[in-house]
Amino acid sequence: MKNVLIVGAGRLGLYTAKKLHQLGHHVMVVDKKEERINRILPYVVRAEIGDSTDESFLSSIGVDDYDLCVVAIGNDFLACLETTFMLKELGAKVIVSRATSFSQEKFLLRNGASSVVFPERELGDWVAIRFSNDNISNYIELTDGYSLVEVKVPSQWNGKRVGELDVRKKHGLNILGVNKNRMDMNVNSDTLLEEGSTMLVLGKYTDIAKVFKL
């Protein structure tokens, strides 16, 4: 269980708080607008109305008590940058800040952010890849060009075993799971593949796209 501070109770802050709450973490949220605070109250253990760019207000929260700080301010980059900088100055351990451009990312990383997220861009990438090809059921982009993709078993692989295909050696791909009626992660060389089911495949997205003709 972690103690998490979320600055900004807009859509990103709200959904982040909901998920953290489901995972059993303790969440505090800060926002300038009372209506946003009221909306997020069921998912947090503490909430305060205040301006995160006010150093005296931010220091009163006890920033260094939190394992993670999420700066979810969406429409005011200067406020996001100032908040990120002050959180770092006040002893925040890990800071994740929201950005909408690569230039914003650079400023945030130089001024205290541990990591930067692009919610709109990441969702846009996911929607484009997930729904532009009928063979993909799910998609997660990783680092350095790698992706985790749930893809349909090709018809030419029907009735073949994972070891027989040897996709790791031939294509640099790893089959991590097979979903017939439920996802089975206990994949080995004898796992039988059937047309109509899906596979969880890890590898370079360019290699996945080439092998499965995405």
Side-chain angles (χ1 to χ4, degrees), residues 18-35:
K18 280 185 176 181
K19 192 61 180 180
L20 288 167
H21 175 72
Q22 290 174 4
L23 295 171
H25 299 292
H26 286 174
V27 181
M28 176 187 175
V29 66
V30 170
D31 197 280
K32 291 191 292 186
K33 295 185 177 181
E34 184 176 359
E35 62 270 24

Side-chain angles (χ1 to χ4, degrees), residues 22 26 30 41 54 61 68 73 76 85 89 106 110 113 115 119 154 175 210:
Q22 290 174 4
H26 286 174
V30 170
L41 281 177
D54 182 340
I61 295 171
L68 168 66
I73 301 171
D76 187 342
F85 175 77
E89 290 290 298
K106 290 180 180 179
R110 289 173 182 170
S115 298
I175 299 175
K210 182 178 179 180

Side-chain angles (χ1 to χ4, degrees), residues 22 28 47 87 95 99-100 109 111 116 124 177 179 193 195 202 209 214:
Q22 290 174 4
M28 176 187 175
L87 285 170
I95 305 169
T100 58
L109 290 173
N111 287 277
V116 175
N179 189 350
L193 300 176
E195 187 176 5
L202 172 66
L214 303 180

Side-chain angles (χ1 to χ4, degrees), residues 105 114-116 121-122 139-148 202-208:
E105 179 185 30
S114 310
S115 298
V116 175
R121 188 192 74 182
E122 291 164 8
Y139 163 83
I140 299 174
E141 182 178 350
L142 305 175
T143 59
D144 300 323
Y146 284 87
S147 296
L148 188 61
L202 172 66
K204 291 274 189 180
Y205 183 77
T206 51
D207 295 330
I208 295 173

